Amino acid sequence: EGSSACITHQDCPAPQYCSAGKCVSDGCGPGYWCQEIQEIGPLAGTSYCVRRENCTRNSDCGALGAVDCIAYGCFDECLANPGCETHRYTCLPKEELPCACLENTTTATGACSDADYVCQSPTDGGIWPIGSVQQIGICTSRQDYFQ
């Protein structure tokens, strides 16, 4: 049920989020929201509870103390395994990646743009193409993350 006008998710009080210009809530659990996952194809028009993405702080996730906004780096798995034959999009917590922001590109929060985020291959030591890792905040329950 909509409560107020919004442009971004930050315009809404947690656990509500912005959908079609209105702050809404749904039956999804903390750290999730109801979203359509395909615009075309067999799942088009159907909404599912999916993890909240693009968070920047824990309060974006709802359920403070149980769900945290974790910084992830997402990339094509074949970057880490040069001989692979099947491309798969993989996301790992940023502290698990051999990556860093280029010198003098970090913001006050310690972040940088994807174009300034450089990663070294764990297999051959080479540098992955600039911008090949997408940085994203994903709401993750503490139970899932700290196991």
Side-chain angles (χ1 to χ4, degrees):
E1 172 176 320
S3 61
S4 61
C6 60
I7 296 172
T8 68
H9 301 306
Q10 286 76 24
D11 296 334
C12 302
Q16 294 182 345
Y17 59 91
C18 191
S19 178
K22 295 274 187 196
C23 291
V24 297
S25 58
D26 53 39
C28 296
Y32 290 81
W33 50 21
C34 190
Q35 299 283 303
E36 184 177 324
I37 58 172
Q38 278 187 341
E39 293 181 16
I40 58 172
L43 302 179
T46 305
S47 294
Y48 296 90
C49 290
V50 296
R51 285 189 192 271
R52 290 185 185 211
E53 293 183 349
N54 298 317
C55 58
T56 56
R57 56 189 183 266
N58 289 347
S59 61
D60 295 338
C61 299
L64 288 174
V67 179
D68 292 327
C69 180
I70 305 294
Y72 284 85
C74 302
F75 56 94
D76 179 341
E77 196 171 87
C78 286
L79 286 170
N81 303 306
C84 83
E85 296 179 16
T86 305
H87 294 270
R88 186 170 73 186
Y89 196 59
T90 300
C91 295
L92 294 173
K94 285 177 63 175
E95 67 266 8
E96 294 180 19
L97 293 174
C99 306
C101 294
L102 291 172
E103 190 173 340
N104 300 319
T105 62
T106 57
T107 65
T109 61
C112 62
S113 72
D114 292 345
D116 293 325
Y117 195 59
V118 179
C119 302
Q120 187 173 7
S121 171
T123 54
D124 64 9
I127 302 297
W128 291 348
I130 301 291
S132 61
V133 176
Q134 177 190 10
Q135 301 170 84
I136 186 169
I138 300 175
C139 294
T140 306
S141 75
R142 288 185 177 206
Q143 180 180 351
D144 293 341
Y145 185 68
F146 293 109
Q147 288 185 3

